[in-house]
Amino acid sequence: MNRVTRTAQRWVVFAVAVGLWELVTQLAKAAEAEKSFFFPPPSEIALTAKDLWFSSAFGDHIVPGISRMLGGWALAGVIGIALGILLGRSRRAMAYLGAVFNFLRSIPPPLLVPFFVAAVGPTNMQFPTIVFGAIWPVLLNTVDGARGVDATKVETARVFRLSRAQWTFGVVLPSALPKVFAGLRLSLSIALILMVISELIGSANGIGNQLVRAQRDYEPTAMWAWIVLLGVLGYLFNTLLLVLERRALAWQPRHSLETQALATGG
Amino acid sequence: TLSGCGLLGGDDNTTSSGSTGSAGAVEKAKVKVGVLPVVDVAPFYRAIEQGYFRDQGLDVEPVVMASGAASINAVLSGDVDIAFSSYPAPLLAQSKKVAEFKIVADALTAKPGHIVVVAPPNSPLKKPTDAPGKKIAITARNTMTDLAPMSVLKTQGVDYTQVEWREMTFAEMIPAMERGEVDGAVVVEPWVTTAMKKIGAVPVFDGASGPTAEMPMSGYVAIGGTGKFASTSPNTIAAFQRGLAKAQAEATDRTKVEPMFVKYAKIDQQTAQLVTIATYSTSLEANRIQRVANLMQEFGVIKGNLDVASMIPSSTSNK
Amino acid sequence: MNMLEVDGLGHTYKGKDGSHTAIDGLDFTVGAGELVCVVGPSGCGKSTLLRTIAGLIRPSRGTVSLHGNKVDGVPSDLAVVFQDYSRSLFPWLSVTRNVEFPLRTLSRTEREARAVEALAAVGLSTAGKKYPWQLSGGMQQRVAIARALAYRPSLLLMDEPFASVDAQTRFELEDLLLRIRREQDTTVLLVTHDIDESVYLGDRVLVLSKSPATVVAHLDVPLGPVRDQITTRASDDFVELRAKVAGLLQGAPVTVR
Amino acid sequence: MNMLEVDGLGHTYKGKDGSHTAIDGLDFTVGAGELVCVVGPSGCGKSTLLRTIAGLIRPSRGTVSLHGNKVDGVPSDLAVVFQDYSRSLFPWLSVTRNVEFPLRTLSRTEREARAVEALAAVGLSTAGKKYPWQLSGGMQQRVAIARALAYRPSLLLMDEPFASVDAQTRFELEDLLLRIRREQDTTVLLVTHDIDESVYLGDRVLVLSKSPATVVAHLDVPLGPVRDQITTRASDDFVELRAKVAGLLQGAPVTVR
Amino acid sequence: MSGAPRVPASLVGLVGFFAIWEVASRTDLVPGYYLRPPSVVLPTMVTLLGDPEFVRAVVATLAATLLALVIAVLIAVPAGLVLGSVPPVRRAVMTLVEFLRPIPSVALIPLALLTFGTGPDTKITLAVYGALWPILFNTMYALDEVDPLHVETARAFGTGRLGLLGRVALPSAAPFVLTGVRLSFAIALAVVISTELFSGGTIGLGQVVNVASGGGLNMDTVLAGTVLAGLIGYGANAGLELLHRKAFAWSQPKVGAE
Ligand SMILES: Nc1ncnc2c1ncn2[C@@H]1O[C@H](COP(=O)(O)OP(=O)(O)OP(=O)(O)O)[C@@H](O)[C@H]1O
Ligand SMILES: Nc1ncnc2c1ncn2[C@@H]1O[C@H](COP(=O)(O)OP(=O)(O)OP(=O)(O)O)[C@@H](O)[C@H]1O
Ligand SMILES: [Mg+2]
Ligand SMILES: [Mg+2]
């Protein structure tokens, strides 16, 4: 399959969805339908977005928000992978810590805010909130991956008396890596979501802050512009992460072979 | 839909028989009202408990919302008939022509001690003239918590534009003040009392003084226009007004409202006894509420003129 | 001196639904530099035996001693070629990297030299850059052999290491093993299903009974240290010995209809 | 009539760093009910050949026809015993369920009866409730064989199916295969490394060259349909044939130092 | 996270956590009037559990969460199987998905309120939206890891596309899918409670917390609700893990590292 058809495949559903959205909202607007005030057509959103995103808001809100989010995500990734390998390969660590983590990860992030407020104060709680919320997909998936190391490979590693570093980074991490990436991709969007949630509180800037302000000020077009920005950012970061993933998992035969086999099966 | 499931906390669609009130028959006996867990709605709950609405032929069901904005959205969606909110939100929505808002009742009017700028004891913020350059916590921009103090500062000739406003919930303002993350906070009751009690916060100036003295704070709104509740149910609204007014009038007696604070706003008994009780309005006067609109205009929240009189339903019994 | 001493060794796998005794009361010794072949019916417990010697599973009963020390955990200086060779290769490493993987104490150049040498020895000089899944079954098995050889262990455990290669390659790998054993004085314990191979390679052949495995016989193979695929296999001693081993195995036939 | 017709078959694996031609210009036919053994050096392309015949990989060149129809996708009525037997068993299914897996179209009782029969045939009557990882290597391989036999295919492809079982079991499984072939008139294509086995089992032996595999020879094995492990293997014809196959394979030696 | 075989060990961790919290709020490390110590919060929680109104709220939250989770599983698992196995569909849909995924439910609350009203529909819809992704992604990634030889084996025996998905892909993906479900439960619970917290309208744990936090530092109740949310999630996780152990008895007990 050539590049052009692939690209077309990639965007056709998206384009149709946006087209439908435009059509429906325009019709609603023309009919002065109830609530159409809150659902402006995408063309209007695009115009507002252009003004909003590339104004002073870029430096004041978008950049601080993104840096918090990326920093939080990266830290969550590192901690999640490290803890995940520990918990996945050590029964004892799991026995002692599993319960605490399962307890903590079930607390909705907005309810955790009091803890972070108590620990670092309301104006600084964004970063810990993001880290705390984004850890879990990486952690759980890494645990799964680390635990799933094939028994023969575990025995091979033990026979050759690999060093701890070699065992961790040479055996456990690579075999967990596909699952880790699934976790990282989930965490990425969760980090973005928590960036917004945490910016609702105590923050003078950020995308979430602007989004809520637009909501409160009854400026639905601006609100949608911020929502769309979140989508765009999510898409961009995800695409970058996928590039990274393809490199890291280049050794895998599966990406082409197996999906193909499944697709043409039967 | 899914709401049928009682377990999930959906409404239990009990239809009330509703005895006839003093005036014309109500168009809609069952009325859902979006409210917030705040002191402003104490008389509303009293009216329910005392059966004042029932006496008017109404079966009023409170729906507890999380914020004024959520309350407004609920009334816009038609899910509740009447929404309680502090005034800026519906006035702003009206000015943006989101819908035709009708103010069906006035809830609370500020009194000294109800909305106060407080500061921790060791704060550099001691008097209004200290405000420029200080960080002051508010719930959100374009609400009473920033408009009222700005107005006070402006009349005292203080440069209010230099204040750094920090948005957070009331609950977070207290540790924020104690940690020195903010120099002060704009709080309303019961948080004025709580802040004093917990960290010995001291009042810096009153948010409802001078230009904002006796400022209307909050009210009940409905949506008008063709086919909408406020247009189709004038008798219901009148009945709601009568029922509420009775409780509002009784609210001058704090023993009548204190139990409501404890029960519905979950204010603890001790604090409830200390809370400054503001004025619960017994009449709905457009010119008073117009002050809020003017205040919002003054600070650029509302562009152009907003005539509050047009928001008072025609059926209203008060002037 | 005895390099390896197995004493009353028994292992029972415990499962939710009943347990299974794989080996029971095994006693034997292997001297330093000896090459002992293990034969026995399928499923009798040969792999289990190797695993206990390698310290990978703790035996239910009895002991394994290396140089007189009881084995508790994986001993140093040991290499294993697993029966399930394809799973024992790391799919994320190229063939060369797989072979180099255990050689972490060596310098980079030395590591590379060893890998090149070992891969050449098993006839895979050109496959170094490939990933394991790009190789045929027999080639994967040879990578696993190369990895064990490059490690230069003092004790080498091999579980049917030549099962997936063609006859010609098998002969060559057998001779390679004999040569390396001679040169490096490696002690080897090799599980095989090929009776000829067990006699051709072994200084001794250990015949196991069907499950649970016990020692049926412990045969000396007096063929001398230097052997040759054609002359040795044609010798009378060889023919006699293989008949003997076959007979011993027949005495413990598996039930196949 | 020809059951299977292979015509100018070639396959090249494409990779990021260069491609590899595994088989090239293969031509041969297999008649209905015939048993053809394939021998060739390790890595020459035997497994690749079986995969293309099974329709699992689309060949780069040439065609495979079954009953005169070009193979495009997996043909029906086909069973494969993969070289990597342990990975081809489903770990989430018990041994019995693994054997029953392809028998979806049969009634439950029939399915069970077939599984019981097939497992008994390979000597695993008692292992039905176990999971694959609880079995030894040779037992796993026998489960894979049982699964293929229970399916009763008209074309059976086997990739070194007896590599991991002991000599005794191997003989029994070989005879089992011969009997089933006779009884069910199955066409069999079997890859093996054991030259003796190829002659003992085959109606014909296909000798392949080293990679990329081409057909070196196509030997008829005039040993008759009924064979016996002792008398057949001792016959002059047998000895002569195996020497011939070995010689043909020698002509294409792999480079092992 | 499972495999806590001995209850005491897992309690040690949890007790340790509460002990740190207790010490932190009893010393000057954090404001104790704000972060109330567990010795106050836990009894408050027990008292609240005796209050029928509170229990009703908890049940409402739990029921909404479970319903959302079930819906999410019913949508995400089949979708994951299709997206994971049919590359053209995957390519076509994932672009849209990647735009939608990072949009926070909280940001959609006002719109959801307008569209679905104050009933439980709003929180359930938003929770389904939030809980879809872990299940969907883990299903897709698990499909990538299905052993190609399993696929080849099944195909060789004439298994069709649906059979491949149902009889090979799904069972081998199942353990990882269940990990996705465990992640999703926490997310569904978080979204339900957040929606109650930020929108209100329906009864639930989030609303209890919201009402309590409006009453002037009524932190006992707020934190009791928080701990209860954690305990609910912990219990649900334990249940799912039990299911895992029961359902995946086949999965080989992996050799523990040292
Ligand atoms: N997926 C693949 N990608 C690239 N090359 C491959 C792949 N599979 C096999 N090859 C190459 O094709 C050649 C033939 O492989 P094949 O598995 O068919 O050999 P074989 O004859 O079965 O060998 P053996 O007897 O060792 O199993 C080998 O050189 C191997 O490296
Ligand atoms: N992990 C396990 N759990 C339970 N039983 C097992 C386990 N591993 C092996 N067994 C059983 O132990 C017995 C011996 O297995 P083992 O793998 O040692 O046999 P083997 O002699 O190597 O056979 P083969 O020649 O077929 O490889 C078998 O009956 C097998 O079913
Ligand atoms: Mg074995
Ligand atoms: Mg092969």
Side-chain angles (χ1 to χ4, degrees):
Chain A
M1 200 179 320
N2 65 36
R3 213 169 256 269
V4 181
T5 40
R6 268 170 201 264
T7 313
Q9 269 180 350
R10 220 161 253 144
W11 291 96
V12 67
V13 171
F14 182 81
V16 168
V18 173
L20 273 179
W21 181 14
E22 177 80 30
L23 190 72
V24 171
T25 44
Q26 288 287 8
L27 286 179
K29 200 175 158 193
E32 292 185 24
E34 232 190 295
K35 297 173 193 169
S36 64
F37 175 82
F38 290 95
F39 297 93
S43 49
E44 283 179 24
I45 298 172
L47 288 178
T48 311
K50 199 186 76 193
D51 295 343
L52 274 182
W53 298 354
F54 303 107
S55 64
S56 60
F58 186 79
D60 293 348
H61 300 289
I62 301 180
V63 171
I66 289 179
S67 39
R68 267 196 289 264
M69 173 245 142
L70 281 183
W73 173 72
L75 190 60
V78 171
I79 299 176
I81 293 173
L83 270 178
I85 289 180
L86 177 73
L87 295 181
R89 292 307 319 176
S90 158
R91 259 168 203 283
R92 184 183 300 196
M94 178 58 89
Y96 282 100
L97 298 177
V100 190
F101 285 137
N102 279 321
F103 172 77
L104 289 180
R105 81 178 171 85
S106 306
I107 301 176
L111 287 190
L112 270 171
V113 165
F115 287 87
F116 294 128
V117 167
V120 296
T123 50
N124 300 321
M125 42 62 67
Q126 288 84 12
F127 190 73
T129 306
I130 294 173
V131 173
F132 191 88
I135 272 184
W136 308 114
V138 186
L139 178 63
L140 255 73
N141 280 6
T142 309
V143 165
D144 240 36
R147 235 196 239 152
V149 182
D150 178 76
T152 310
K153 290 183 183 65
V154 175
E155 293 194 329
T156 306
R158 287 181 62 200
V159 159
F160 289 115
R161 294 166 63 97
L162 297 183
S163 66
R164 189 165 279 274
Q166 235 186 337
W167 160 249
T168 307
F169 296 105
V171 181
V172 181
L173 192 57
S175 51
L177 214 52
K179 288 180 173 149
V180 171
F181 270 106
L184 284 173
R185 279 178 75 185
L186 288 168
S187 288
L188 189 65
S189 59
I190 288 180
L192 211 51
I193 289 168
L194 286 173
M195 172 192 86
V196 173
I197 292 181
S198 67
E199 283 169 358
L200 307 184
I201 309 151
S203 168
N205 60 15
I207 299 169
N209 177 282
Q210 291 301 295
L211 194 153
V212 181
R213 185 166 295 178
Q215 275 174 3
R216 254 198 330 256
D217 292 351
Y218 296 97
E219 288 173 5
T221 321
M223 179 190 81
W224 277 100
W226 292 118
I227 290 181
V228 169
L229 177 62
L230 292 173
V232 171
L233 288 176
Y235 179 82
L236 283 180
F237 291 133
N238 182 67
T239 307
L240 289 177
L241 186 57
L242 269 177
V243 171
L244 200 72
E245 175 183 320
R246 290 229 177 84
R247 287 186 165 223
L249 301 182
W251 53 268
Q252 271 192 321
R254 320 179 210 291
H255 277 295
S256 54
L257 189 149
E258 178 196 333
T259 41
Q260 210 83 348
L262 274 170
T264 54
Chain B
T1 63
L2 300 161
S3 4
C5 180
L7 271 186
L8 297 165
D11 46 312
D12 13 324
N13 294 307
T14 46
T15 40
S16 82
S17 47
S19 62
T20 28
S22 47
V26 297
E27 299 84 355
K28 191 169 188 283
K30 170 127 182 142
V31 179
K32 283 167 84 175
V33 182
V35 291
L36 303 179
V38 291
V39 295
D40 311 40
V41 295
F44 168 78
Y45 276 112
R46 180 171 164 80
I48 292 178
E49 288 205 343
Q50 298 297 316
Y52 297 161
F53 289 128
R54 208 182 322 118
D55 296 344
Q56 301 295 330
L58 293 183
D59 172 18
V60 171
E61 185 201 335
V63 177
V64 183
M65 302 304 299
S67 65
S71 192
I72 297 292
N73 279 334
V75 77
L76 278 173
S77 80
D79 225 53
V80 300
D81 305 303
I82 297 172
F84 165 82
S85 173
S86 71
Y87 280 123
L91 294 186
L92 181 61
Q94 174 78 8
S95 79
K96 300 241 168 158
K97 305 199 168 49
V98 175
E100 253 182 69
F101 283 88
K102 297 292 173 192
I103 301 172
V104 301
D106 196 12
L108 184 125
T109 298
K111 212 164 87 169
H114 177 70
I115 174 166
V116 183
V117 180
V118 297
N122 54 355
S123 169
L125 177 66
K126 302 239 179 279
K127 50 188 188 305
T129 46
D130 296 333
K134 300 292 181 299
K135 299 190 200 87
I136 298 180
I138 53 175
T139 54
R141 294 305 306 269
N142 304 342
T143 61
M144 276 299 181
T145 56
D146 70 332
L147 293 176
M150 281 199 295
S151 176
V152 174
L153 289 177
K154 191 178 174 191
T155 42
Q156 298 194 8
V158 180
D159 185 2
Y160 63 90
T161 58
Q162 293 303 307
V163 179
E164 283 184 43
W165 304 109
R166 285 289 149 85
E167 299 177 336
M168 61 185 73
T169 64
F170 284 129
E172 284 148 12
M173 290 178 186
I174 292 175
M177 280 193 281
E178 201 195 17
R179 301 170 65 99
E181 286 185 22
V182 291
D183 303 303
V186 188
V187 285
V188 300
E189 281 292 26
W191 295 95
V192 181
T193 308
T194 306
M196 290 174 178
K197 220 170 68 176
K198 295 289 182 192
I199 60 165
V202 288
V204 181
F205 62 93
D206 204 290
S209 57
T212 53
E214 305 279 315
M215 187 62 105
M217 299 292 285
S218 56
Y220 297 84
V221 298
I223 308 293
T226 33
K228 296 293 182 187
F229 176 77
S231 310
T232 57
S233 313
N235 294 345
T236 311
I237 288 177
F240 177 81
Q241 288 171 332
R242 285 191 299 273
L244 184 66
K246 189 164 177 199
Q248 299 266 103
E250 291 171 351
T252 43
D253 178 358
R254 73 179 293 147
T255 61
K256 300 263 166 63
V257 286
E258 256 178 43
M260 302 298 118
F261 292 172
V262 175
K263 192 164 172 193
Y264 295 103
K266 304 289 179 194
I267 300 173
D268 67 277
Q269 192 76 49
Q270 281 171 305
T271 310
Q273 282 165 1
L274 299 172
V275 161
T276 306
I277 296 188
T279 313
Y280 290 104
S281 330
T282 47
S283 63
L284 181 59
E285 294 163 51
N287 55 350
R288 287 188 53 244
I289 302 168
Q290 185 67 48
R291 290 178 62 202
V292 182
N294 294 347
L295 183 67
M296 293 172 74
Q297 247 168 297
E298 184 185 349
F299 290 101
V301 181
I302 292 180
K303 313 268 183 308
N305 277 325
L306 177 67
D307 179 19
V308 174
S310 70
M311 295 174 71
I312 309 292
S314 43
S315 59
T316 301
S317 41
N318 302 295
K319 67 224 69 146
Chain C
M1 192 207 61
N2 283 333
M3 165 91 179
L4 171 71
E5 220 163 306
V6 171
D7 195 14
L9 192 70
H11 187 71
T12 303
Y13 288 104
K14 297 225 160 45
K16 258 161 286 177
D17 24 60
S19 55
H20 180 92
T21 299
I23 51 179
D24 209 7
L26 290 183
D27 291 298
F28 65 90
T29 56
V30 179
E34 257 192 317
L35 197 163
V36 173
C37 289
V38 181
V39 295
S42 171
C44 77
K46 302 177 295 296
S47 301
T48 306
L49 171 63
L50 289 201
R51 280 204 166 79
T52 52
I53 293 174
L56 291 171
I57 48 183
R58 199 184 296 271
S60 314
R61 295 166 297 283
T63 56
V64 175
S65 310
L66 274 178
H67 301 294
N69 303 318
K70 194 179 152 193
V71 167
D72 186 29
V74 179
S76 62
D77 240 8
L78 168 97
V80 181
V81 177
F82 288 94
Q83 186 174 16
D84 206 350
Y85 53 87
S86 75
R87 280 195 175 141
S88 96
L89 298 179
F90 300 108
W92 51 87
L93 297 179
S94 69
V95 166
T96 308
R97 293 268 171 276
N98 258 290
V99 175
E100 287 178 9
F101 197 61
L103 309 176
R104 72 205 149 87
T105 49
L106 303 183
S107 73
R108 204 201 155 105
T109 45
E110 210 172 335
R111 247 187 349 237
E112 276 170 13
R114 285 247 199 131
V116 168
E117 186 195 8
L119 284 173
V122 298
L124 288 177
S125 292
T126 56
K129 285 213 177 106
K130 296 198 175 180
Y131 285 98
W133 55 269
Q134 293 176 307
L135 302 184
S136 77
M139 291 162 88
Q140 290 177 18
Q141 190 164 39
R142 284 182 276 155
V143 175
I145 295 170
R147 181 170 61 184
L149 296 182
Y151 192 61
R152 299 200 185 148
S154 62
L155 176 61
L156 177 58
L157 306 178
M158 304 178 98
D159 202 347
E160 301 181 32
F162 312 131
S164 294
V165 296
D166 62 295
Q168 176 67 27
T169 311
R170 186 170 195 142
F171 288 163
E172 286 159 343
L173 290 174
E174 284 167 2
D175 290 337
L176 172 71
L177 181 64
L178 288 177
R179 201 192 71 221
I180 284 180
R181 198 271 302 241
R182 254 192 337 265
E183 286 172 9
Q184 293 168 18
D185 209 32
T186 315
T187 311
V188 183
L189 199 66
L190 183 143
V191 171
T192 179
H193 283 317
D194 187 331
I195 298 171
D196 289 22
E197 182 173 88
S198 72
V199 175
Y200 179 71
L201 285 178
D203 295 323
R204 281 189 291 144
V205 177
L206 192 69
V207 184
L208 299 183
S209 74
K210 70 174 188 182
S211 187
T214 50
V215 179
V216 171
H218 213 145
L219 290 178
D220 273 317
V221 181
L223 294 175
V226 182
R227 303 179 187 188
D228 175 89
Q229 292 288 1
I230 296 166
T231 54
T232 306
R233 284 185 194 251
S235 74
D236 290 343
D237 280 355
F238 183 91
V239 175
E240 190 190 315
L241 272 165
R242 63 174 266 214
K244 203 165 171 188
V245 173
L248 285 164
L249 276 172
Q250 291 273 15
V254 285
T255 44
V256 170
R257 202 167 47 137
Chain D
M1 192 207 58
N2 284 333
M3 166 89 178
L4 172 70
E5 219 161 307
V6 171
D7 195 15
L9 193 69
H11 186 71
T12 303
Y13 288 104
K14 298 226 159 47
K16 259 159 287 177
D17 25 59
S19 53
H20 180 92
T21 299
I23 50 178
D24 208 7
L26 290 182
D27 291 297
F28 65 89
T29 57
V30 180
E34 256 192 318
L35 197 163
V36 174
C37 289
V38 181
V39 296
S42 171
C44 77
K46 302 178 295 297
S47 302
T48 307
L49 170 63
L50 289 200
R51 279 203 165 79
T52 52
I53 293 174
L56 292 171
I57 48 181
R58 201 183 297 270
S60 314
R61 295 167 297 283
T63 56
V64 175
S65 310
L66 274 177
H67 302 292
N69 304 319
K70 195 182 153 193
V71 167
D72 185 29
V74 180
S76 61
D77 240 10
L78 167 99
V80 183
V81 177
F82 287 93
Q83 184 175 16
D84 206 348
Y85 52 87
S86 76
R87 274 176 51 208
S88 101
L89 298 179
F90 300 111
W92 55 90
L93 297 178
S94 69
V95 165
T96 308
R97 293 266 172 277
N98 259 291
V99 175
E100 287 177 6
F101 182 88
L103 309 178
R104 230 161 5 112
T105 49
L106 303 184
S107 74
R108 204 201 156 107
T109 45
E110 208 171 337
R111 243 185 355 234
E112 277 169 13
R114 286 250 198 129
V116 168
E117 186 195 7
L119 284 173
V122 298
L124 288 177
S125 292
T126 56
K129 285 210 176 108
K130 297 198 173 178
Y131 285 97
W133 55 271
Q134 294 176 307
L135 302 184
S136 77
M139 292 161 87
Q140 291 177 17
Q141 189 164 42
R142 284 183 275 155
V143 175
I145 295 171
R147 179 169 63 185
L149 296 182
Y151 190 60
R152 300 199 184 148
S154 60
L155 176 61
L156 177 57
L157 306 177
M158 305 177 97
D159 202 348
E160 302 180 32
F162 312 131
S164 293
V165 296
D166 61 296
Q168 176 68 28
T169 311
R170 187 172 194 138
F171 287 164
E172 287 160 342
L173 290 174
E174 284 168 4
D175 289 338
L176 172 72
L177 181 66
L178 287 177
R179 203 190 71 223
I180 283 180
R181 197 271 303 237
R182 258 198 327 270
E183 286 172 9
Q184 292 168 18
D185 209 33
T186 315
T187 311
V188 184
L189 198 66
L190 184 143
V191 171
T192 179
H193 282 318
D194 188 332
I195 298 170
D196 289 23
E197 183 173 88
S198 72
V199 175
Y200 179 72
L201 285 178
D203 296 324
R204 281 188 290 146
V205 177
L206 192 67
V207 184
L208 298 183
S209 73
K210 70 173 187 182
S211 186
T214 50
V215 179
V216 171
H218 212 147
L219 290 177
D220 274 316
V221 181
L223 293 175
V226 182
R227 304 180 187 189
D228 176 90
Q229 292 287 1
I230 297 165
T231 54
T232 305
R233 284 183 194 256
S235 73
D236 289 343
D237 280 355
F238 183 89
V239 175
E240 191 190 316
L241 272 165
R242 65 175 263 216
K244 203 164 169 186
V245 173
L248 285 165
L249 276 171
Q250 293 272 15
V254 285
T255 43
V256 172
R257 208 172 37 145
Chain E
M1 285 178 281
S2 74
R6 288 157 301 150
V7 181
S10 68
L11 277 186
V12 168
L14 217 47
V15 168
F17 167 76
F18 281 115
I20 294 172
W21 174 5
E22 179 81 31
V23 170
S25 53
R26 293 242 173 242
T27 57
D28 276 345
L29 276 175
V30 298
Y33 61 82
Y34 184 73
L35 188 63
R36 308 287 287 138
S39 56
V40 175
V41 171
L42 294 177
T44 307
M45 191 181 81
V46 174
T47 316
L48 280 172
L49 283 173
D51 174 1
E53 203 185 317
F54 182 77
V55 172
R56 242 180 67 125
V58 174
V59 170
T61 297
L62 205 53
T65 306
L66 286 176
L67 191 57
L69 189 70
V70 169
I71 297 173
V73 169
L74 290 180
I75 297 173
V77 172
L81 287 176
V82 171
L83 292 184
S85 63
V86 192
V89 177
R90 185 182 195 153
R91 274 195 291 277
V93 176
M94 283 317 274
T95 306
L96 189 58
V97 164
E98 291 305 343
F99 270 98
L100 292 180
R101 217 157 54 85
I103 298 172
S105 338
V106 173
L108 299 178
I109 285 177
L111 297 171
L113 254 181
L114 282 168
T115 315
F116 302 106
T118 57
D121 296 15
T122 298
K123 60 185 177 188
I124 292 172
T125 310
L126 292 176
V128 168
Y129 170 76
L132 276 180
W133 314 119
I135 307 175
L136 182 77
F137 270 64
N138 278 17
T139 309
M140 281 167 48
Y141 271 78
L143 284 197
D144 276 350
E145 287 199 89
V146 174
D147 192 326
L149 198 58
H150 287 157
V151 176
E152 289 196 338
T153 305
R155 286 183 63 206
F157 284 113
T159 311
R161 182 184 294 217
L162 270 181
L164 270 184
L165 285 183
R167 308 212 298 147
V168 179
L170 191 58
S172 73
F176 198 46
V177 174
L178 198 63
T179 301
V181 174
R182 292 199 289 140
L183 278 168
S184 287
F185 182 90
I187 290 178
L189 184 67
V191 175
V192 166
I193 291 183
S194 304
T195 310
E196 291 163 358
L197 200 62
F198 291 123
S199 130
T202 63
I203 62 164
L205 194 52
Q207 193 182 54
V208 170
V209 168
N210 184 46
V211 170
S213 59
L217 273 195
N218 197 347
M219 294 305 284
D220 301 0
T221 310
V222 171
L223 292 171
T226 305
V227 170
L228 191 64
L231 290 180
I232 288 173
Y234 176 70
N237 187 69
L240 286 170
E241 254 164 24
L242 198 70
L243 181 75
H244 184 113
R245 274 197 288 276
K246 283 253 150 74
F248 306 125
W250 55 267
S251 82
Q252 189 165 350
K254 296 294 191 271
V255 190
E258 40 266 272

